[in-house]
Amino acid sequence: MASGDLERGGGSNVKNRGNSYNQSSSSSYYVENNEKQWTSWLVPMFVVANVAVFVVVMYVNNCPKNNQGFEGGCVARFLGRLSFEPLKENPLFGPSSNTLEKLGALNWDKVVHGNQAWRLITCIWLHAGVIHLLANMLSLIFIGIRLEQQFGFIRVGLIYLLSGFGGSVLSSLFIQRSISVGASGALFGLLGAMLSELLTNWTIYTNKAAALITLMVIIVINLAVGILPHVDNFAHIGGFLTGFLLGFVLLLRPQFGWVGRKHLPAGARVTSKHKAYQYLFLVIAMVLLIAGLAACVYNSGPVVMLFRGENGHDHCSWCHYLSCVPTSKWHCGN
């Protein structure tokens, strides 16, 4: 959050992990069988944790004491040390980039050369401002609660955290001159899991074509927003791909006929628990996930590339267009 720049400060760009999720992503398609509904408590706890972390970040930031007035006065000074940085410094009503970096923002140099791999996780609990936080938390509520009610807290929690990690790894490989914060990689993981869940459980849904089209439109729109400047689309893509694969593994549903087998007359033919194509999707996803882990063991793969200090752009010359497309209205810099 810097003067003249949307989100730059202290010599470091801040990549805001986008926040434009459509609330209709908790789409209206429904499953044909009546499975047990879980009580959602983990997703609300994630929301509370993110809000609490933001309050702590603002407390540490202490704009009235630390801001030197170069970019104007603090915003909402009646909040005391919780007041926001000047809008020229941070237009999202939040802390300075120096504070975010100090408290765990994703920073390639510190991860690779400073032995601070923990930043790959801590960055997903930090947000650049109130606007960023509200948009992401509303998205988490609309996407996450539905998934947790249907699949339970363990599976949804694993997808959320692993997708956040996957997004951070891909972000670090391609964005090495800026810091990055936000839960959007984890949120895109839940969105990817929703897509793979719909595909692998295709036969037990009604209105499936409409649901697929709606979900694809939401995904495409949100990924398209990521090509704007100052939005970390690599975190979005990394989180989405991680969640998409995990959805095939963790979110399988049994077939309707198998669930209702107790109500069938004696000697009636019982439908198999899963379809052959569900097992096929499961195997393919497992192979890809295991291949990714094996690549790390044999000194290749994205995680190993990251800690070797490699730059993803050296292996993909066009990938920079995935995160920012220059136009006459803005430039993407480095």
Side-chain angles (χ1 to χ4, degrees), residues 289-307:
L289 290 169
I290 293 172
L293 293 174
C296 295
V297 173
Y298 290 99
N299 293 322
S300 60
V303 176
V304 174
M305 288 172 58
L306 170 62
F307 287 101

Side-chain angles (χ1 to χ4, degrees), residues 59-73:
Y59 184 84
V60 172
N61 186 68
N62 195 359
C63 180
K65 177 181 179 181
N66 298 321
N67 181 268
Q68 303 300 316
F70 298 124
E71 302 291 346

Side-chain angles (χ1 to χ4, degrees), residues 45-302:
M45 286 297 295
F46 280 166
V47 173
V48 170
N50 275 278
V51 173
V53 168
F54 184 75
V55 172
V56 171
V57 169
M58 294 308 303
Y59 184 84
V60 172
N61 186 68
N62 195 359
C63 180
K65 177 181 179 181
N66 298 321
N67 181 268
Q68 303 300 316
F70 298 124
E71 302 291 346
C74 300
V75 178
R77 291 188 69 90
F78 64 88
L79 294 174
R81 66 184 294 158
L82 297 180
S83 57
F84 310 121
E85 292 294 313
L87 294 182
K88 288 185 178 180
E89 169 78 5
N90 185 344
L92 298 179
F93 299 97
S96 68
S97 59
N98 287 334
T99 299
L100 290 171
E101 185 172 358
K102 179 169 66 175
L103 294 180
L106 188 60
N107 180 302
W108 174 82
D109 185 64
K110 294 184 182 297
V111 170
V112 176
H113 300 122
N115 297 318
Q116 297 180 16
W118 46 268
R119 290 179 179 269
L120 295 168
I121 296 297
T122 57
C123 67
I124 69 178
W125 303 97
L126 298 172
H127 287 83
V130 171
I131 296 174
H132 189 201
L133 175 68
L134 286 177
N136 275 350
M137 292 307 98
L138 286 174
S139 302
L140 178 56
I141 289 170
F142 280 98
I143 298 173
I145 287 181
R146 170 194 170 275
L147 285 175
E148 187 180 357
Q149 287 175 339
Q150 294 189 357
F151 296 101
F153 70 93
I154 295 178
R155 287 182 279 185
V156 171
L158 280 174
I159 292 172
Y160 183 87
L161 294 174
L162 292 175
S163 297
F165 176 78
S168 295
V169 170
L170 195 64
S171 174
S172 295
L173 277 173
F174 287 94
I175 299 177
Q176 302 184 349
R177 300 185 183 182
S178 307
I179 65 173
S180 179
V181 295
S184 301
L187 290 171
F188 263 90
L190 295 181
L191 207 54
M194 285 181 67
L195 178 59
S196 56
E197 187 267 327
L198 174 60
L199 294 175
T200 196
N201 300 319
W202 183 259
T203 58
I204 63 175
Y205 277 98
T206 60
N207 301 324
K208 57 194 72 175
L212 179 61
I213 292 172
T214 301
L215 196 53
M216 289 301 299
V217 168
I218 293 170
I219 292 169
V220 170
I221 290 175
N222 283 284
L223 287 176
V225 170
I227 66 175
L228 297 173
H230 312 292
V231 178
D232 183 0
N233 213 26
F234 289 113
H236 297 172
I237 295 171
F240 177 82
L241 292 177
T242 304
F244 183 68
L245 292 177
L246 289 173
F248 287 119
V249 177
L250 298 177
L251 304 185
L252 268 74
R253 290 180 183 272
Q255 294 299 303
F256 177 65
W258 188 86
V259 173
R261 67 193 184 284
K262 295 179 181 178
H263 306 292
L264 294 176
R269 183 175 177 271
V270 178
T271 304
S272 60
K273 185 174 183 179
H274 297 107
K275 294 284 189 179
Y277 77 88
Q278 290 181 293
Y279 289 117
L280 178 62
F281 282 148
L282 171 64
V283 171
I284 293 174
M286 285 292 293
V287 167
L288 292 175
L289 290 169
I290 293 172
L293 293 174
C296 295
V297 173
Y298 290 99
N299 293 322
S300 60

